[in-house]
Amino acid sequence: KGIEFKDNLSLWPGNPKYYNNYYRDGFVEYIPLNKTLALKKINELKNNKWIDRSTRAISINMNVYNKNSKLLTIVRLQIEFLMSGKVDASYKLYTIPSEIYKNNIELRLTFEIIFCILLLYYIFVEYKEMRHDQSILMYFLNLWNIVECTNLGLYVFTIGSYIYWLTLPKTQFYTYVINKNNYSDIYDVAVWYNYINIMSAVNCCFGFIKIFK
């Protein structure tokens, strides 16, 4: 199978320092896992001069799976050829769980439902407190009320983002993502999961601040 042009790939942002963005299309070549076949394929690419003056960037993508921890790491090695002649290399690693609801699904779903119910309760309590103030402006002049609303808002946004993540294509990895013969492009899924983790961490900081309220 030779090199071919594909679209609808995972998003390919360049180095933020250079404001490059390579969008979702490009020429793709799959390298076999067998060392002999891989070297043969790489030599073919070199002989065919697959890198020329028009090449803007090269991305090497792979999925690495740890069967013991059931963690999947998405690796992207990126090389950019800048107009100035500089060659810039960078990498990105994202680790996500490969099995979320496969084991103890009832227990996990129970805690998630309880959490959502408690969140709705605290939103209702905060709404009642807002109604009891003289005006919405007076309510938001209190710094602790701003912290409370930000905390609850981030919880709602994080839950919504998580539900959206579950609906993304290839989010459920169980049967086909760990395949020695085919590469699964799940970079976008991993990036979105990483964003959810960052939002959760920020929200934990707001929750810690609320302790001193």
Side-chain angles (χ1 to χ4, degrees):
K1 189 177 181 179
I3 192 168
E4 54 184 316
F5 186 82
K6 288 191 174 184
D7 54 11
N8 200 28
L9 301 169
S10 59
L11 189 61
W12 187 3
N15 193 318
K17 294 187 297 184
Y18 309 115
Y19 306 102
N20 292 330
N21 194 330
Y22 305 107
Y23 304 102
R24 294 182 178 273
D25 50 18
F27 291 94
V28 178
E29 178 67 81
Y30 295 97
I31 305 297
L33 294 179
N34 181 278
K35 182 178 179 180
T36 303
L37 295 177
L39 289 174
K40 180 180 178 182
K41 179 67 69 175
I42 292 172
N43 288 330
E44 288 178 1
L45 292 172
K46 288 180 178 179
N47 293 334
N48 291 327
K49 297 181 179 180
W50 67 298
I51 298 177
D52 55 26
R53 293 182 179 181
S54 300
T55 304
R56 294 290 292 111
I58 299 171
S59 176
I60 303 172
N61 302 284
M62 67 186 81
N63 300 330
V64 183
Y65 181 64
N66 187 314
K67 191 173 183 179
N68 295 323
S69 62
K70 293 182 173 57
L71 292 176
L72 180 69
T73 298
I74 287 76
V75 183
R76 172 172 286 182
L77 310 176
Q78 189 165 284
I79 302 172
E80 298 178 72
F81 302 91
L82 306 179
M83 290 186 291
S84 62
K86 180 182 178 182
V87 178
D88 184 82
S90 60
Y91 67 91
K92 293 179 182 177
L93 304 173
Y94 297 106
T95 298
I96 56 178
S98 62
E99 298 180 359
I100 300 175
Y101 290 108
K102 189 172 183 180
N103 299 319
N104 300 322
I105 181 172
E106 296 85 1
L107 181 63
R108 182 184 177 98
L109 282 175
T110 300
F111 279 109
E112 288 180 348
I113 292 172
I114 292 173
F115 179 85
C116 290
I117 293 173
L118 289 174
L119 178 61
L120 290 174
Y121 169 75
Y122 283 113
I123 291 175
F124 176 72
V125 170
E126 202 62 29
Y127 174 74
K128 286 181 62 178
E129 185 178 334
M130 186 186 300
R131 291 289 301 272
H132 288 160
D133 271 340
Q134 296 178 356
S135 65
I136 295 179
L137 178 61
M138 291 296 296
Y139 173 84
F140 282 108
L141 287 177
N142 188 321
L143 178 61
W144 290 114
N145 289 338
I146 296 176
V147 172
E148 186 75 39
C149 289
T150 303
N151 185 226
L152 294 174
L154 282 174
Y155 274 130
V156 173
F157 185 71
T158 302
I159 292 173
S161 299
Y162 181 71
I163 294 173
Y164 171 73
W165 180 80
L166 289 174
T167 64
L168 286 175
K170 300 178 182 177
T171 298
Q172 304 300 333
F173 315 107
Y174 311 134
T175 57
Y176 53 82
V177 77
I178 312 304
N179 192 319
K180 292 183 178 181
N181 299 318
N182 297 309
Y183 169 76
S184 298
D185 185 8
I186 54 172
Y187 181 82
D188 285 345
V189 175
V191 170
W192 195 258
Y193 187 82
N194 183 67
Y195 287 157
I196 294 172
N197 285 339
I198 292 173
M199 287 187 291
S200 300
V202 171
N203 214 14
C204 284
C205 294
F206 277 99
F208 180 77
I209 294 173
K210 283 171 54 180
I211 296 175
F212 301 99
K213 181 176 180 181

